[in-house]
């Protein structure tokens, strides 16, 4: 099971909390590996606010979701989750189940490094899902504005609301751009090139490259919306200045006529 619950995690705090509970903890710059000595399970917490569980039951996963709340930076309003199951076989692979809508991961051994390599792909996929949803919400909220401008020459929302929408779109775009490093090949594989094939296999199966391309296209749509809203704000401001200037000229003419009369 893969979860994304926040923009980031305090990995040091998470690691220390599990150490105090007697768990085996292995920490690197961007991931914390947790092993419960009492049961065969692996948990990988990633710095970008996602974690992947191997061998836990649903109640235990829900307890983890509650536990990480104390270490979240920028918790998400909606938690993203992705189900998968794993089994052991002759060759490591990732496939879709023939009958059920679930991904099946086959492992040729219980090697935690292989699990970590695959978990990097799973964590990136669920993180990408949060970006996709955030962009879709922004586009859906504002996609009527270009049509309204084309039909009426203006939008019906107030200037304050326009500025708020510009701010929301800018936040969505900047947060994704600032977090784009999480969609690149992790530094872990620079030191462990023999494991990169498992990560690439997972990334291809989850269609991450195509989804990143689609994400960038949606970002372009958001930028176009941002430009439209900006131009509308500028148009309103210019129109207001023109009206003020015309009003002042009319007042000046009226005053001159009054004095002449």
């Amino acid at each position: 099971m893969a979860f994304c619950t926040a923009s980031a995690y305090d990995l040091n705090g998470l690691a220390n909390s599990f150490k105090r509970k007697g768990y085996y903890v292995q920490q690197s710059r961007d991931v914390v590996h947790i092993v419960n000595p009492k049961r065969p399970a692996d948990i990988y917490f990633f710095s970008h606010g996602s974690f992947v569980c191997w061998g836990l039951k649903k109640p235990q996963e829900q307890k983890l979701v509650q536990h990480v709340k104390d270490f979240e930076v920028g918790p998400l309003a909606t938690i993203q989750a992705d189900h998968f199951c794993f089994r052991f076989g002759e060759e490591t692979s990732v496939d879709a189940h023939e009958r059920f809508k679930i991904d099946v991961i086959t492992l040729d051994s219980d090697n935690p490094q292989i699990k970590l390599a695959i978990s990097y792909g799973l964590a990136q996929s669920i993180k990408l899902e949060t970006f996709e949803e955030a962009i879709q919400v922004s586009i859906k909220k504002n996609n009527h504005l270009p049509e309204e401008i084309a039909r009426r020459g203006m939008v019906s929302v107030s200037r304050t609301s326009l500025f708020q929408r510009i701010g929301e779109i800018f936040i969505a775009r900047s947060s994704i751009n600032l977090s784009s490093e999480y969609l690149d090949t992790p530094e872990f594989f620079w030191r462990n090139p023999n494991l990169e094939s498992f990560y690439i296999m997972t990334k291809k199966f989850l269609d991450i490259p195509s989804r990143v391309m689609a994400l960038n296209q949606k970002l372009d749509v958001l930028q176009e919306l941002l430009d439209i809203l900006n131009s509308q704000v500028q148009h309103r401001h210019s129109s207001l200045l023109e009206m003020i200037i015309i009003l002042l000229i009319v007042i000046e003419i009226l005053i001159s006529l009054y004095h002449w009369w």
Side-chain angles (χ1 to χ4, degrees):
M1 188 82 170
F3 295 88
C4 185
T5 68
S7 298
Y9 288 145
D10 172 13
L11 291 186
N12 291 328
L14 264 174
N16 291 331
S17 73
F18 280 101
K19 284 177 183 177
R20 288 192 294 268
K21 292 183 177 183
Y23 287 72
Y24 170 76
V25 178
Q26 187 174 8
Q27 183 176 2
S28 62
R29 188 178 68 87
D30 63 344
V31 64
V32 171
H33 178 203
I34 308 292
V35 177
N36 188 341
K38 297 179 181 179
R39 61 174 63 93
D42 293 276
I43 311 162
Y44 300 93
F45 291 97
F46 295 88
S47 59
H48 55 67
S50 304
F51 68 92
V52 180
C53 310
W54 297 77
L56 292 183
K57 295 181 180 179
K58 192 170 184 179
Q60 297 165 335
E61 292 171 347
Q62 293 305 315
K63 284 183 179 179
L64 270 181
V65 171
Q66 294 300 317
H67 181 72
V68 297
K69 286 184 176 180
D70 294 332
F71 308 98
E72 292 175 344
V73 179
L76 301 179
T78 303
I79 294 174
Q80 299 293 332
D82 191 13
H83 298 263
F84 69 89
C85 65
F86 75 97
R87 63 191 178 188
F88 293 100
E90 295 181 357
E91 185 179 0
T92 299
S93 63
V94 185
D95 303 287
H97 196 279
E98 293 179 358
R99 294 176 58 190
F100 303 106
K101 192 178 179 181
I102 192 170
D103 300 332
V104 179
I105 300 171
T106 304
L107 301 173
D108 62 0
S109 69
D110 197 25
N111 187 337
Q113 292 289 82
I114 294 178
K115 287 182 179 178
L116 174 57
I118 295 173
S119 294
Y120 268 110
L122 295 171
Q124 283 187 348
S125 177
I126 198 68
K127 186 68 177 180
L128 185 57
E129 198 169 314
T130 66
F131 294 155
E132 291 167 340
E133 183 169 321
I135 288 180
Q136 198 58 40
V137 168
S138 292
I139 291 176
K140 189 175 180 180
K141 183 178 179 180
N142 297 286
N143 63 1
H144 70 283
L145 294 177
E147 296 177 5
E148 193 171 347
I149 292 174
R151 188 174 64 255
R152 300 177 54 203
M154 59 179 294
V155 291
S156 56
V157 296
S158 65
R159 189 182 180 197
T160 300
S161 179
L162 279 175
F163 274 121
Q164 288 175 337
R165 291 175 186 235
I166 289 172
E168 290 169 1
I169 292 174
F170 181 78
I171 289 171
R173 186 177 177 87
S174 62
S175 64
I176 292 168
N177 285 328
L178 291 173
S179 303
S180 61
E181 62 177 286
Y182 302 130
L183 303 179
D184 296 333
T185 302
E187 187 179 316
F188 170 78
F189 298 107
W190 300 353
R191 302 186 301 273
N192 301 275
N194 58 310
L195 297 171
E196 189 172 1
S197 59
F198 301 109
Y199 164 70
I200 293 173
M201 172 188 67
T202 307
K203 191 167 72 168
K204 285 183 177 179
F205 175 78
L206 295 170
D207 206 22
I208 291 178
S210 298
R211 290 165 63 194
V212 170
M213 188 180 299
L215 182 70
N216 286 325
Q217 291 173 348
K218 290 180 180 180
L219 280 174
D220 292 338
V221 172
L222 273 184
Q223 183 61 53
E224 290 175 8
L225 279 172
L226 187 61
D227 292 340
I228 288 171
L229 293 179
N230 266 323
S231 64
Q232 182 65 19
V233 168
Q234 293 297 328
H235 174 69
R236 282 192 176 183
H237 184 64
S238 300
S239 298
L240 179 61
L241 288 177
E242 288 175 5
M243 291 299 295
I244 291 173
I245 292 170
I246 291 171
L247 182 61
L248 290 174
I249 292 172
V250 170
I251 291 172
E252 184 179 358
I253 291 172
L254 290 174
I255 291 172
S256 299
L257 288 173
Y258 174 76
H259 284 300
W260 178 81
W261 182 77

